[in-house]
């Protein structure tokens, strides 16, 4: 009987285990996670913090018997080492487990920038259920909160940090909000929106030190400004959990390098989710695309291969849809300017609506938008489908809102 081990019980691990059970009914499947709760979704944490759901609402599967019914063994343990040649894993408590096929789905963890004072108790992350409890327990109503970092996750958690009458400020070292996802126009619009909701935003600034001041914190910025706050939330980015692979022979860069079947350089060892570094579909570059839909799709492909059914991922697709205090923005593919690319833009600053399309030849290759939620599906279809737009390119350059018409005329035909 085949022994499938899955390390990491987030969305990638859970979907892989379920896919394996369907594809390999006889196999033994063990899902290992090092957090004490049942498998849960980090995406749900903002809803927990605003009180829209309780902790059980974050669980990925609501039925307590779900995993037992599928004969998936859950094991709470930390994996500390991998021996690829012996096909074994070592746990932090010294136990050794054997595997025939292995999936690494260990996700990522928050970076802790080397700033003096970063280890003070009022400096928190917003990544795990334990973090969410710490925020709820220690950052009271009306508290002064400074969030360090305004990237994708940073913007998602703004609403929950600002809830309960807290006074929220944000410091971002980039020249705008969400700099790796959105251009200057969109980043500036999100900033204005946040400020209109009472959040103070400082961009192009860094925290250089944090010191305790009684129960509060004194946070110093690189321009000499000092802010007194009750808590600092560190949202400066994440790092894939790959330390336990040292000496294993599994090839890593930022994350674990995988091919289009999600297999690593070692036969029988796969990786999926936030920890995997896969090939981007349009550019061929390797990326860690740390979003849940990708984690789940990668896990499904990995599991089918582990069960002996050939499956491939036709390149990972980089996109983000972001809700910042109710303002929806989206970023797809190659949205940066580059030589030879053409762009079309629609901007309505007062209505918080922005649409920018980037073309390479007669293909749409990237987009940034604010508002325009009605176009999100079509944008994805045109870009991911590499649809040749023909005469529709000129029409879109003249009027970017004709996206649906272009998709009906060219995208559906291509599909
Ligand atoms: C607050 C917040 C909001 C988010 N919102 C969105 C959103 O709106 N949209 C979106 O697409 N994405 C969102 N994300 C990102 C999304 O949660 C991740 O992309 C997703 O969780 C990745 O799933 P995963 O299974 O790869 O990793 P994870 O969910 O991180 O699961 C990995 C698991 O492996 C465990 N593990 C790690 N190392 C070991 C080890 N050595 N031994 C045993 N277990 C180990 C970890 O403890 C963890 O439980 C959000 C994230 C956060 C924190």
């Amino acid at each position: 009987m085949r022994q499938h081990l899955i390390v990491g019980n987030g969305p990638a691990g859970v979907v892989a285990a379920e896919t394996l059970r369907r594809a390999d009914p006889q196999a033994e499947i063990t899902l290992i996670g090092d957090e004490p709760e049942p498998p849960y979704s980090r995406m749900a944490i903002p809803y927990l913090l605003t009180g829209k759901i309780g902790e059980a609402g974050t669980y990925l599967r609501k039925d307590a018997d779900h995993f037992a019914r599928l004969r998936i063994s859950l094991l709470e343990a930390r994996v500390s080492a991998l021996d690829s040649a012996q096909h074994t894993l070592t746990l932090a408590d010294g136990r050794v487990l054997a595997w025939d096929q292995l999936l690494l789905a260990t996700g990522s963890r928050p970076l802790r920038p080397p700033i003096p004072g970063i280890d003070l108790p009022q400096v928190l992350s917003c990544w795990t259920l334990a973090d969410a409890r710490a925020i709820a327990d220690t950052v009271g109503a009306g508290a002064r909160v400074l969030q360090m970092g305004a990237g994708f996750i940073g913007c998602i958690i703004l609403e929950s940090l600002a809830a309960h009458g807290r006074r929220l400020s944000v410091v971002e070292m980039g020249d705008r909000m969400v700099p790796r996802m959105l251009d200057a126009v969109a980043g500036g619009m999100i900033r204005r929106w946040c400020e209109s909701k009472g959040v103070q935003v400082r961009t192009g600034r860094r925290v250089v030190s944090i010191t305790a001041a009684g129960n509060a914190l004194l946070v110093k910025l690189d321009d000499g400004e000092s802010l007194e706050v009750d808590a600092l939330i560190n949202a400066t980015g994440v790092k894939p959990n790959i330390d336990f692979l040292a000496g294993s022979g599994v090839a890593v860069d930022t994350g674990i390098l995988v091919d289009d079947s999600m297999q690593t350089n070692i036969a029988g060892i796969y990786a999926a989710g936030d920890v995997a570094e896969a090939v981007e579909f349009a550019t061929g570059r390797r990326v860690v695309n740390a979003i849940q839909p990708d984690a789940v799709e990668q896990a499904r492909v990995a599991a089918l291969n582990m069960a002996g059914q050939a499956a491939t991922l036709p390149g990972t697709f980089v996109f983000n849809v972001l809700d910042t205090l109710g303002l929806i923005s989206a970023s797809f593919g190659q949205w940066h300017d580059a030589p030879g690319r053409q762009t079309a833009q629609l901007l309505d600053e007062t209505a918080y609506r922005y649409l920018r399309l980037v073309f390479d030849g007669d293909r749409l290759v990237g987009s940034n938008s604010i508002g325009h939620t009605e176009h999100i599906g079509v944008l994805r279809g045109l870009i991911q489908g590499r649809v040749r737009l023909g005469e529709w390119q000129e029409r879109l350059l003249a009027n970017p809102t004709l996206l649906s018409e272009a998709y009906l005329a060219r995208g559906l035909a291509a599909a």
Side-chain angles (χ1 to χ4, degrees), residues 74-394:
L74 298 180
L75 177 61
E76 187 191 331
R78 178 153 193 82
V79 173
S80 56
L82 164 62
D83 187 328
S84 314
Q86 297 298 318
H87 278 215
T88 57
L89 284 178
T90 304
L91 305 182
D93 61 11
R95 275 179 293 168
V96 174
L97 306 179
W99 47 269
D100 296 310
Q101 306 277 319
L102 175 67
L103 176 67
L104 306 171
T106 47
S108 43
R109 64 172 182 278
L111 286 169
R112 291 193 71 79
I115 297 170
I118 193 83
D119 293 323
L120 285 165
Q122 303 97 316
V123 179
L124 304 166
S125 294
C126 183
W127 192 251
T128 61
L129 275 181
D131 293 337
R133 276 177 223 129
I135 292 173
D137 292 348
T138 62
V139 190
R144 298 160 299 173
V145 180
L146 178 66
Q147 181 181 303
M148 181 167 61
F152 176 62
I153 301 293
C155 282
I156 290 173
I157 62 177
L158 281 177
E159 185 160 356
S160 45
L161 296 178
H164 313 298
R166 298 188 191 113
R167 286 162 286 162
L168 180 63
S169 306
V170 177
V171 175
E172 161 59 47
M173 70 178 187
D175 65 351
R176 58 185 186 272
M177 295 184 77
V178 245
R180 292 195 298 153
M181 170 181 153
L182 293 171
D183 63 21
V185 176
M189 217 179 242
I190 294 186
R191 177 190 186 135
R192 249 189 336 107
W193 175 268
C194 290
E195 288 171 342
S196 76
K197 305 278 175 197
V199 177
Q200 279 189 22
V201 181
R202 291 166 175 83
T203 53
R205 311 269 290 274
R206 284 169 190 264
V207 171
V208 292
S209 70
I210 310 160
T211 43
N215 286 334
L217 294 173
L218 209 59
V219 181
K220 207 161 197 186
L221 306 186
D222 55 355
D223 62 352
E225 188 183 6
S226 279
L227 305 170
E228 191 180 293
V229 294
D230 301 304
L232 186 146
I233 308 295
N234 170 33
T236 50
V238 295
K239 177 184 181 320
N241 286 317
I242 54 174
D243 298 351
F244 69 102
L245 296 175
S248 68
V250 172
V252 296
D253 181 27
T254 306
I256 302 172
L257 301 175
V258 289
D259 63 17
D260 63 359
S261 69
M262 304 313 294
Q263 189 164 230
T264 67
N265 61 314
I266 295 179
I269 303 183
Y270 294 78
D274 280 12
V275 79
E277 190 171 334
V279 170
E280 202 267 327
F281 95 107
T283 59
R285 280 200 304 262
R286 291 191 166 273
V287 288
V288 174
N289 193 23
I291 55 171
Q292 185 159 318
D294 225 35
V296 163
E297 184 52 17
Q298 292 182 358
R300 195 186 62 80
V301 169
L304 288 174
N305 284 292
M306 289 167 77
Q309 298 180 16
T312 55
L313 195 74
T316 215
F317 182 56
V318 177
F319 76 98
N320 289 110
V321 179
L322 173 63
D323 178 344
T324 312
L325 293 161
L327 185 67
I328 308 294
S329 56
S331 168
F332 291 93
Q334 303 160 67
W335 52 268
H336 293 95
D337 283 327
R341 290 193 187 151
Q342 284 182 289
T343 58
Q345 182 169 314
L346 260 188
L347 176 62
D348 183 344
E349 289 268 6
T350 20
Y352 289 98
R353 277 175 74 78
Y354 174 54
L355 179 61
R356 183 165 181 274
L357 307 179
V358 181
F359 298 90
D360 189 354
D362 72 343
R363 286 193 171 106
L364 189 61
V365 293
S367 163
N368 270 180
S369 66
I370 305 255
H372 289 279
T373 46
E374 69 278 21
H375 292 128
I376 284 174
V378 163
L379 280 167
R380 181 174 184 166
L382 287 172
I383 297 170
Q384 197 173 15
R386 297 179 198 237
V387 174
R388 298 211 74 129
L389 290 160
E391 73 279 10
W392 278 93
Q393 186 205 358
E394 284 303 321

